[in-house]
Amino acid sequence: MTGMRGLSVFISDIRNCQNKELERLRIDKELGNIRTCFKNEKVLTPYKKKKYVWKMLYIHLLGYDVDFGHMEAVSLISAPKYPEKQVGYIVTSCLLNENNDFLRLAINTVRNDIIGRNETFQCLALTLVGNIGGREFAESLAPDVQKLLISSSCRPLVRKKAALCLLRLFRKNPDVVNVDGWADRMAQLLDERDLGVLTSSTSLLVALVSNNHEAYWSCLPKCVKILERLARNQDVPQEYTYYGIPSPWLQVKTMRALQYFPTIEDPSTRRSLFEVLQRILMGTDVVKNVNKNNASHAVLFEALSLVMHLDAEKEMMSQCVALLGKFISVREPNIRYLGLENMTRMLMVTDVQDIIKKHQAQIITSLKDPDISIRRRALDLLFGMCDVTNAKDIVEELLQYLSSAEFAMREELSLKAAILAEKFAPDLSWYVDVILQLIDKAGDFVSDDIWFRVVQFVTNNQDLQPYAAAKTREYLEKPAIHETMVKVSAYILGEYGHLLAGRPGCSPREMFSIIHEKLPTVSASTIPILLSTYAKILLHTQPPDLELQNQIWAIFKKYESCIDVEIQQRAVEYFELSKKGAALADVLAEMPKFPERQSSLIKKAEDAEDTADQSAIKLRAQQQPSNALVLAAPQPVNGTPPPVKVPSMSGSVQDHDSAAQSHSQPNGTLSKVEPQPPSPDLLSDLLGPLAIEAPPGSLPTDERGGSTGAGGVPDVVDGAAIVPVGEQMHTVEPIGNIAERFHALCLKDSGVMYEDPYIQIGVKAEWQGHHGRLVLFLGNKNTSPLTSVQARILPPVHLKMELSPVPETIPPRAQVQCPLEVINIRPSRDVAVLDFSYKFATHMVNVKLRLPAVLNKFLQPIQLTTEEFFPQWRSLSGPPLKLQEVLRGVRPLPLPEMVNLFNSFRVSICPGLDPNPNNLVASTTFYSESTRAMLCLVRIETDPSDRTQLRMTVASGDPTLTFELKEYIKEQLITIPTGPRATPPSPLAPAAGAVAQPSSPAVAADDPGALLAGLL
């Protein structure tokens, strides 16, 4: 770029732009100038073409689309001079992908450079081919690249680039690159003395043997010789020695290649390799230098992997375990993590489990590590090393840790503790104790599979039934227990409670009473189990207790009209059967034994691997659809909108199948139903962990409200989609609650805004002053393209918004990004709307979504001292700059939670400014084009005896801002808004600018006599 003054001036102009708008104008001007110059080929000299192509690359790196000039960039590749050829190669590899048609024009030129004699041109060509790696390049150029690699006349620099280029082509197109008979060539390359070429060749070898190791047995002894050379530091140049370690990268690659070979049969080679590995194991220690630690431990852990792969002698395995035991006790968290991970892998090797058990105390200590990833690895290791000899100790430790474990680990912890208790239980009564403790300590995180399993064990083991009934009876005496405990206790007592007859507190009436106390606290899914339990208690009450019978009959009669079909059917059938006497005994006979089968818990644990892909699949499999429907209707005729159907509040009936639940059958018998695992959605998450799950069982929220506001905000947002399919109605149901997603995005800057079976719309935002930049992520979740994609912004008048063009088609399983620029002109609570539509197959879907460009996004919290706050507070005397309102019906929040609420919408609490501990003082700065940076002050006076009312005072230097901020905080304190609101009448009188006071009570903030009745 030396000597190109125009390019330097252009870069300086871009850097000097005050804002994004000026930058865009400058770039548009430059692109227009470049386009004009490219059209006039007579005055387009090679120098100018080079300069303009450099500018195109710079604009592309800034994130702007450059959709022209590709031919000019490709044509520079054939230039005879290095400066023009260099820019051609660099810009082509950056701007074009492997499917671009322009690349076909350059294949011959690139090939001529590769087979030519100019080494500089060869390096440029190899870099381009390696970066793009297309199929046509592989078919046409791979043989020439292979010739360069094995050529003895080329310099090491060229051969090194050739090896990396061939590696890239092989990874992308293994069927195109011809590596037949390449084994001898690879063995020769491993004799190379230049470590740069050797390292690149070893990378190629790893790819080749991972695909087919059988053809490369001749390379195995050569790899061992490389390791010997490096271990003894023989003939290793200084530039390849990293902190005293000879070429750690080459050592790691070589040992990785050896792990693809199943075994080493030659005794001499095996002995030499183990000597090298012994030297690595003995010579590695933790030092203070971080860089040296990283390099030495990379070599060490690869050596440990190789030792495990080769199934070394027990003495060496013991040495490896001892070394790992040393690592899991050091302070460096990365080393502890690797130590635990590799010790878990060592469990797969025979005869080392007893050695690992010696470090059990240290592993248990790692469960309390501050780093959750280390805690997970410690849990995995404890799970793997458990057997009959130490199961009791490990499970007791897991149960003890369960009480203090964070929520992110409790489900996995509960599952693994349940599996260990089942596999290694010294006796079944201990197993029942463990499961009941699990449910008691972590009920929310104990899956139904766990209590299904304990019911199966109790049902199949007659000697266990009285003990299990007695233990569940004890747990029911607790004043507050989890609903899962109610389920398992009710089921076991219904089946086997009669076995406790004669014990204190175990009469039928007493058991009914203690179970019935829990009925008001359970959900609809548990009531059927309780009704079955009542019927069983009635059956086993001998002689009949008329008073108890009347109580149970009254409950059955109460639920005969229940809206839940399952509850209603059970109540009706049990009531009628209980009148028939003997028929009840036949129907409610003791449940038969379960057939022996593999534990569903073990299968569940095997499926739940701790990887990003599995986490995304698990999230989607567990995600429950929201009740907020996206409605469908025929297209409006003659401009008349179709009628809108509102979903019923009852929702659908949930079917609760389980191995422990009994279901009434037409023939009058009760059968056990096996729990069916949810079918996993194998679609990978397009936006990673941005998905927000709707709370299960939430009622549908009416998202339709408010008239069209200023700025064109439509009547219906957040969930109205029109999908014409012939003459029939078709519904598309969103995944998750759209309103809750919107409110979550109002308090954070990234997340999923909308998702349905076809598309996922995510948003990521940055805010600075009165400017905002949002990026909309449109992800196609299907294997078919989405067509006719359209998006337009319906902004309110106080926001200036510009959305980048949206492509009309989103390819299958692809994601596009659409930047959205936002400028806040004045304070307002009005909300912008995204009007989005797309076509999938024959379905046209349209949704209108609120955008999280709301008032609090333009706030910046600020902490003020007493000297800074009170002069500003006194200077804003009375309306319209200072408004006060008494709020009733406030959500009763403790003061710490109210502080967190204010902080969440960027209003900072200033502690110590108000002497009354029940009051809060807060401050923030609001940014807009009209107000610039405007200081806002807030005072909240609460009543400790009644948290549902308070007095709020808001002050700022702008009347509109004061009113809007007061109303916004009021909305947050009273309730979370659930839909778009109608635009309120402007608080400003258009002519004079005087503030029209709201209808709610408002008094002068400085009037000492204006005390809130009943509050102060």
Side-chain angles (χ1 to χ4, degrees):
M1 282 190 250
T2 306
M4 286 188 286
R5 184 173 178 276
L7 177 61
S8 301
V9 170
F10 172 64
I11 295 175
S12 298
D13 290 346
I14 294 297
R15 290 177 176 174
N16 293 331
C17 288
Q18 300 283 334
N19 53 47
K20 197 72 176 177
E21 189 65 28
L22 293 176
E23 179 183 294
R24 184 183 295 275
L25 290 174
R26 180 67 181 90
I27 285 176
D28 288 343
K29 177 182 176 182
E30 191 64 38
L31 287 176
N33 179 44
I34 295 173
R35 197 187 299 268
T36 302
C37 293
F38 281 169
K39 289 180 180 178
N40 190 0
E41 296 183 358
K42 295 181 180 179
V43 298
L44 190 62
T45 64
Y47 169 80
K48 288 185 177 180
K49 184 188 290 188
K50 177 182 67 173
K51 179 176 67 174
Y52 293 145
V53 171
W54 273 129
K55 288 183 179 180
M56 287 167 47
L57 176 61
Y58 183 70
I59 293 171
H60 171 75
L61 294 178
L62 289 176
Y64 295 90
D65 290 333
V66 179
D67 55 0
F68 70 95
H70 298 165
M71 184 62 193
E72 284 74 11
V74 172
S75 66
L76 285 174
I77 292 177
S78 59
K81 296 183 180 179
Y82 174 77
E84 287 80 12
K85 188 180 286 287
Q86 178 201 30
V87 66
Y89 273 116
I90 292 175
V91 176
T92 300
S93 61
C94 291
L95 292 184
L96 306 184
N97 60 35
E98 60 184 88
N99 299 318
N100 197 290
D101 292 336
F102 284 117
L103 287 177
R104 295 192 180 95
L105 304 176
I107 287 181
N108 287 333
T109 305
V110 174
R111 183 174 186 274
N112 290 333
D113 285 339
I114 289 178
I115 63 178
R117 294 292 182 179
N118 190 316
E119 293 177 347
T120 306
F121 292 175
Q122 285 177 328
C123 291
L124 289 174
L126 290 170
T127 303
L128 172 72
V129 175
N131 284 334
I132 294 178
R135 189 173 187 86
E136 290 191 32
F137 273 176
E139 291 175 345
S140 304
L141 304 177
D144 298 313
V145 176
Q146 288 175 286
K147 289 177 183 178
L148 270 186
L149 175 59
I150 60 178
S151 173
S152 60
S153 60
C154 289
R155 288 178 56 197
L157 174 64
V158 178
R159 298 178 63 202
K160 179 170 65 174
K161 287 185 176 291
L164 296 177
C165 179
L166 187 61
L167 171 62
R168 164 74 166 169
L169 294 178
F170 179 77
R171 283 176 176 170
K172 289 213 67 173
N173 312 279
D175 58 323
V176 173
V177 179
N178 182 17
V179 290
D180 293 337
W182 190 249
D184 293 337
R185 298 292 188 182
M186 279 306 309
Q188 293 175 13
L189 288 172
L190 296 181
D191 289 329
E192 178 67 41
R193 305 310 297 173
D194 185 276
L195 287 188
V197 178
L198 189 56
T199 304
S200 303
S201 301
T202 308
S203 300
L204 177 60
L205 175 66
V206 171
L208 293 173
V209 296
S210 66
N211 191 54
N212 176 23
H213 72 275
E214 293 290 343
Y216 297 94
W217 281 102
S218 60
C219 297
L220 192 150
K222 300 291 182 71
C223 290
V224 176
K225 288 184 179 180
I226 292 173
L227 285 176
E228 284 186 291
R229 172 187 172 188
L230 296 175
R232 293 171 181 158
N233 203 357
Q234 294 177 344
D235 193 21
V236 179
Q238 185 63 34
E239 59 267 24
Y240 285 95
T241 302
Y242 185 78
Y243 286 90
I245 304 170
S247 191
W249 310 276
L250 180 55
Q251 292 189 56
V252 169
K253 290 176 188 293
T254 306
M255 287 188 282
R256 188 159 298 172
L258 288 172
Q259 291 175 54
Y260 286 102
F261 295 97
T263 183
I264 300 177
E265 297 179 355
D266 181 51
S268 175
T269 303
R270 184 179 177 90
R271 184 172 58 254
S272 300
L273 177 58
F274 279 120
E275 288 177 0
V276 173
L277 293 176
Q278 183 75 27
R279 186 190 294 263
I280 294 174
L281 295 177
M282 295 294 293
T284 305
D285 204 351
V286 180
V287 297
K288 292 184 178 181
N289 191 297
V290 176
N291 292 325
K292 179 167 183 167
N293 272 339
N294 290 338
S296 61
H297 290 136
V299 175
L300 173 65
F301 286 113
E302 201 64 46
L304 289 171
S305 298
L306 184 56
V307 169
M308 287 184 278
H309 172 74
L310 297 175
D311 197 11
E313 291 78 6
K314 186 173 182 180
E315 183 180 349
M316 181 173 282
M317 300 301 296
S318 302
Q319 186 179 351
C320 292
V321 174
L323 193 60
L324 292 173
K326 180 180 177 182
F327 283 157
I328 64 175
S329 61
V330 301
R331 296 181 58 184
E332 174 59 39
N334 291 331
I335 298 176
R336 288 204 307 277
Y337 179 92
L338 290 171
L340 290 167
E341 183 181 47
N342 280 274
M343 197 173 278
T344 305
R345 295 175 61 195
M346 293 284 286
L347 291 170
M348 296 183 293
V349 181
T350 55
D351 300 331
V352 298
Q353 191 160 352
D354 292 336
I355 308 172
I356 294 177
K357 286 180 185 177
K358 297 177 182 178
H359 304 279
Q360 181 173 313
Q362 184 60 45
I363 298 168
I364 291 173
T365 304
S366 298
L367 273 179
K368 304 175 180 63
D369 195 276
D371 191 326
I372 188 172
S373 59
I374 293 178
R375 295 196 295 271
R376 287 187 183 279
R377 295 290 77 78
L379 177 60
D380 291 340
L381 180 53
L382 286 173
F383 181 74
M385 64 186 286
C386 187
D387 59 19
V388 290
T389 62
N390 60 358
K392 215 165 185 177
D393 295 335
I394 289 179
V395 171
E396 287 176 1
E397 287 289 345
L398 295 182
L399 288 174
Q400 184 179 352
Y401 174 59
L402 189 60
S403 303
S404 58
E406 64 280 86
F407 293 163
M409 281 189 65
R410 287 194 181 185
E411 183 177 357
E412 182 184 2
L413 196 60
S414 303
L415 177 63
K416 291 188 172 178
I419 292 172
L420 294 180
E422 178 182 332
K423 289 175 67 176
F424 306 113
D427 57 79
L428 291 179
S429 59
W430 178 79
Y431 167 72
V432 171
D433 289 340
V434 169
I435 300 301
L436 294 180
Q437 287 183 62
L438 275 178
I439 297 173
D440 186 45
K441 293 183 177 182
D444 285 330
F445 304 92
V446 175
S447 66
D448 286 344
D449 292 325
I450 293 178
W451 81 268
F452 294 167
R453 191 65 176 163
V454 74
V455 163
Q456 292 175 16
F457 269 97
V458 174
T459 304
N460 289 4
N461 294 274
Q462 189 173 357
D463 296 340
L464 190 61
Q465 293 164 1
Y467 180 81
K471 292 299 292 185
T472 53
R473 170 70 178 78
E474 291 177 12
Y475 276 100
L476 283 176
E477 291 179 349
K478 289 189 173 185
I481 60 174
H482 193 269
E483 186 171 347
T484 304
M485 183 66 78
V486 177
K487 290 180 182 179
V488 68
S489 300
Y491 183 89
I492 292 177
L493 288 177
E495 290 290 332
Y496 312 112
H498 63 280
L499 301 178
L500 303 179
R503 299 189 188 186
C506 294
S507 66
R509 183 179 298 183
E510 289 171 316
M511 282 197 292
F512 165 76
S513 176
I514 197 170
I515 294 173
H516 190 55
E517 286 177 0
K518 311 300 180 183
L519 180 63
T521 66
V522 300
S523 63
S525 64
T526 306
I527 294 176
I529 299 177
L530 297 186
L531 295 181
S532 299
T533 301
Y534 298 160
K536 293 268 186 176
I537 291 175
L538 199 59
L539 169 68
H540 294 301
T541 304
Q542 299 297 334
D545 186 334
L546 293 180
E547 182 179 350
L548 176 60
Q549 176 179 284
N550 291 334
Q551 285 181 280
I552 294 177
W553 280 2
I555 297 170
F556 290 158
K557 293 293 289 182
K558 173 184 175 183
Y559 285 105
E560 280 183 350
S561 57
C562 180
I563 195 171
D564 189 293
V565 176
E566 174 75 15
I567 298 173
Q568 183 188 107
Q569 181 178 354
R570 289 193 185 221
V572 171
E573 292 184 359
Y574 290 153
F575 181 69
E576 294 300 326
L577 287 169
S578 61
K579 295 179 181 179
K580 300 184 182 299
L584 182 66
D586 292 338
V587 174
L588 297 181
E590 187 173 314
M591 302 296 283
K593 290 185 177 182
F594 287 85
E596 293 298 329
R597 61 174 65 87
Q598 182 189 10
S599 171
S600 60
L601 298 181
I602 297 176
K603 185 177 185 304
K604 184 175 181 180
E606 292 172 351
D607 294 340
E609 295 180 7
D610 186 16
T611 64
D613 291 341
Q614 291 290 341
S615 299
I617 292 172
K618 180 180 177 183
L619 178 64
R620 289 182 174 277
Q622 293 178 347
Q623 195 174 39
Q624 299 189 16
S626 167
N627 289 328
L629 293 179
V630 179
L631 302 180
Q635 288 282 13
V637 180
N638 298 329
T640 304
V644 176
K645 292 186 179 181
V646 180
S648 65
M649 296 297 286
S650 61
S652 59
V653 179
Q654 185 177 3
D655 183 17
H656 300 278
D657 290 343
S658 72
Q661 274 184 262
S662 54
H663 293 255
S664 299
Q665 303 296 323
N667 60 4
T669 62
L670 295 177
S671 65
K672 288 190 171 63
V673 181
E674 278 302 300
Q676 297 298 325
S679 57
D681 180 4
L682 298 179
L683 174 66
S684 60
D685 192 352
L686 292 172
L687 288 177
L690 298 179
I692 305 171
E693 185 174 348
S698 60
L699 292 177
T701 305
D702 185 7
E703 296 300 329
R704 305 160 186 83
S707 59
T708 303
V713 178
D715 292 336
V716 182
V717 297
D718 281 3
I722 310 302
V723 189
V725 186
E727 296 296 325
Q728 299 183 358
M729 301 287 288
H730 179 72
T731 60
V732 173
E733 186 173 357
I735 299 173
N737 188 297
I738 303 174
E740 290 180 358
R741 293 184 188 276
F742 169 74
H743 298 309
L745 288 171
C746 289
L747 301 180
K748 62 180 185 177
D749 290 334
S750 65
V752 172
M753 188 165 62
Y754 172 81
E755 185 173 6
D756 64 28
Y758 307 133
I759 196 168
Q760 184 183 64
I761 303 178
V763 64
K764 187 172 183 179
E766 295 178 353
W767 307 94
Q768 185 172 7
H770 64 284
H771 291 274
R773 177 179 172 85
L774 291 81
V775 179
L776 301 179
F777 297 85
L778 311 177
N780 182 359
K781 300 165 55 177
N782 293 272
T783 56
S784 300
L786 300 180
T787 59
S788 303
V789 178
Q790 293 185 356
R792 64 190 184 105
I793 303 296
L794 308 177
V797 294
H798 76 282
L799 293 178
K800 185 189 299 182
M801 310 182 80
E802 181 181 352
L803 179 66
S804 297
V806 178
E808 289 191 2
T809 301
I810 303 178
R813 296 295 182 97
Q815 182 189 95
V816 298
Q817 301 180 14
C818 304
L820 172 63
E821 302 292 336
V822 182
I823 298 177
N824 186 26
I825 301 173
R826 63 175 179 81
S828 174
R829 288 170 296 130
D830 294 335
V831 182
V833 170
L834 171 67
D835 186 358
F836 183 80
S837 62
Y838 66 91
K839 185 176 183 182
F840 180 80
T842 59
H843 309 332
M844 192 69 192
V845 182
N846 175 249
V847 291
K848 294 180 175 64
L849 306 167
R850 288 176 290 172
L851 289 169
V854 290
L855 179 75
N856 66 296
K857 298 295 186 181
F858 304 103
L859 298 178
Q860 186 65 39
I862 183 174
Q863 286 273 354
L864 298 180
T865 62
T866 304
E867 294 76 13
E868 295 168 334
F869 181 87
F870 285 104
Q872 296 284 345
W873 182 259
R874 296 189 187 98
S875 66
L876 303 169
S877 56
L881 300 181
K882 182 182 288 185
L883 296 178
Q884 189 175 91
E885 183 172 349
V886 176
L887 304 185
R888 294 184 174 86
V890 175
R891 287 181 291 156
L893 297 175
L895 277 181
E897 292 187 22
M898 191 175 290
V899 170
N900 293 335
L901 177 64
F902 273 80
N903 289 333
S904 69
F905 52 79
R906 306 187 183 192
V907 177
S908 178
I909 299 297
C910 303
L913 296 188
D914 196 314
N916 190 335
N918 296 310
N919 296 346
L920 297 176
V921 175
S923 59
T924 188
T925 305
F926 177 79
Y927 292 88
S928 70
E929 278 192 349
S930 61
T931 63
R932 295 299 171 185
M934 179 69 68
L935 182 65
C936 307
L937 308 176
V938 182
R939 186 185 186 202
I940 303 293
E941 300 166 88
T942 68
D943 181 1
S945 62
D946 185 2
R947 290 290 183 188
T948 63
Q949 62 176 351
L950 54 82
R951 179 164 66 182
M952 176 175 64
T953 309
V954 179
S956 77
D958 181 80
T960 307
L961 174 58
T962 302
F963 177 80
E964 293 290 340
L965 183 60
K966 177 180 74 70
E967 290 299 308
Y968 175 79
I969 298 176
K970 176 181 173 182
E971 291 173 352
Q972 302 296 320
L973 291 174
I974 293 179
T975 183
I976 297 292
T978 59
R981 62 181 179 83
T983 305
S986 174
L988 296 179
V995 172
Q997 294 303 309
S999 59
S1000 52
V1003 294
D1006 292 336
D1007 182 3
L1011 297 178
L1012 176 61
L1015 179 61
L1016 299 178

